[in-house]
Amino acid sequence: QVQLVESGGGLVQAGGSLRLSCAASGRTFSMYAMGWFRQAPGKEREFVAAINWSGASTYYADSVKGRFTISRDNAKKTVLLQMNSLKPEDTAVYYCAAGSVGVTPTSYYYWGQGTQVTVSS
């Protein structure tokens, strides 16, 4: 009942910033925790950030803590990932997901198609 579409990816130089957006459709958006994951070629999909249903609690991978910020607007059915101080190792396809708050992909029920983020040195 929830469809997710990511946008905002692109090419940026190291030290720069990008803001990823996840637009949701469906009436049950506010019932779900939301997460961002990323996957580089040849690597497992890894946790980036999560936010609970109300937005009161957020969680971050150690690799992005202090640089990335996740937020949500339930009225607009939108989740954002603000990415600052980007590093080449942040290069990956970024996925938005809806489900139960957690740090593994199995905690999430719905997934977007992903958006490419490339950080050049």
Side-chain angles (χ1 to χ4, degrees), residues 9 17 26 46 61 64 88 100 102 106:
S17 298
E46 67 173 340
V64 306
S100 299
T106 55

Side-chain angles (χ1 to χ4, degrees), residues 10-68:
L11 175 65
V12 65
Q13 292 183 337
S17 298
L18 284 174
R19 188 182 75 170
L20 304 184
S21 297
C22 177
S25 62
R27 296 182 177 181
T28 58
F29 173 78
S30 63
M31 298 181 183
Y32 297 102
M34 301 295 298
W36 286 95
F37 289 76
R38 65 188 183 187
Q39 188 168 22
K43 295 185 177 181
E44 297 292 325
R45 190 167 297 189
E46 67 173 340
F47 170 77
V48 176
I51 188 166
N52 78 336
W53 67 271
S54 69
S57 300
T58 58
Y59 308 88
Y60 298 94
D62 288 342
S63 60
V64 306
K65 192 173 299 181
R67 300 189 297 121
F68 292 10

Side-chain angles (χ1 to χ4, degrees), residues 3 8 13 20 30 36 38 42 51 68 75 78-79 99 101-103 107-108 110 120:
Q3 294 188 9
Q13 292 183 337
L20 304 184
S30 63
W36 286 95
R38 65 188 183 187
I51 188 166
F68 292 10
T78 301
V79 180
V101 65
V103 298
S107 297
Y108 297 87
Y110 304 99
S120 62

Side-chain angles (χ1 to χ4, degrees), residues 59-89:
Y59 308 88
Y60 298 94
D62 288 342
S63 60
V64 306
K65 192 173 299 181
R67 300 189 297 121
F68 292 10
T69 302
I70 187 172
S71 61
R72 70 188 296 165
D73 186 334
N74 287 343
K76 296 181 178 179
K77 297 182 179 180
T78 301
V79 180
L80 303 177
L81 184 68
Q82 178 66 47
M83 305 186 295
N84 299 324
S85 301
L86 283 162
K87 304 174 181 180
E89 50 263 45

